[in-house]
Amino acid sequence: KTLQSKGSEIQWGADFGNTDEGTLSEGYDRPIMVHRFPTAIKAFYMRPDPARPEVALGVDVISPEGYGELIGGGQRIHEYDDLVKKIDEHGLPREAFDWFLDLRKYGSVPHGGFGMGIERCVAWICGIEHVRETIAFPRMIHRVRP
């Protein structure tokens, strides 16, 4: 609703991109958190909210000033059978995830995970215009190795 009130044509269930992240963060002087995305647009291993299975227990931390997503994370599915079901629902080859399933085969604990875009975070903190200027070993057309 927030995006729609700012003129976006996004509908519930659609993923949003950098432009939408910028629109959401307008008017804030610190990062904002967006949580419970539709499960259909999240990775197969994201745990659905037990109270609302159509959304995943996840969060994105969006920086102000148009730098975009700094952190993405959420609770993972830790039940073996639920994970197999999700792999099958997404049409993924189960053998490619044998190692992943083995980690939960004999039980696991509820847990979460996150990923942080270090370069994007450095760009935001330092006020650097483009993220490519913060990459320690950038890959370029004539340079693919550090």
Side-chain angles (χ1 to χ4, degrees):
K1 292 182 181 182
T2 301
L3 280 173
Q4 291 171 342
S5 71
K6 292 184 175 193
S8 175
E9 294 181 15
I10 194 165
Q11 296 297 313
W12 192 94
D15 201 359
F16 58 83
N18 197 35
T19 302
D20 297 314
E21 291 170 349
T23 301
L24 274 177
S25 66
E26 284 175 357
Y28 292 97
D29 63 350
R30 61 198 66 186
I32 62 169
M33 300 174 89
V34 180
H35 60 92
R36 288 183 169 75
F37 288 88
T39 53
I41 63 167
K42 296 311 274 182
F44 73 91
Y45 53 77
M46 295 292 287
R47 184 173 183 79
D49 183 339
R52 288 184 63 202
E54 71 275 12
V55 295
L57 294 174
V59 63
D60 284 353
V61 179
I62 311 293
S63 70
E65 303 163 2
Y67 284 93
E69 180 185 329
L70 299 174
I71 300 169
Q75 189 169 346
R76 309 304 195 223
I77 296 173
H78 60 275
E79 298 92 347
Y80 179 86
D81 292 336
D82 291 348
L83 208 48
V84 169
K85 182 179 171 189
K86 285 291 188 179
I87 289 170
D88 291 344
E89 283 176 8
H90 281 77
L92 300 169
R94 199 180 300 179
E95 59 279 356
F97 297 95
D98 284 344
W99 66 275
F100 194 72
L101 291 168
D102 281 348
L103 295 172
R104 288 139 182 98
K105 194 172 207 168
Y106 302 104
S108 184
V109 296
H111 63 283
F114 75 95
M116 179 172 160
I118 299 295
E119 291 91 354
R120 192 174 297 201
C121 194
V122 168
W124 171 61
I125 290 169
C126 296
I128 297 171
E129 188 173 332
H130 200 285
V131 71
R132 73 173 159 248
E133 296 174 32
T134 66
I135 300 170
F137 302 104
R139 293 188 181 116
M140 305 249 188
I141 192 166
H142 299 292
R143 179 178 161 181
V144 292
R145 293 192 178 101

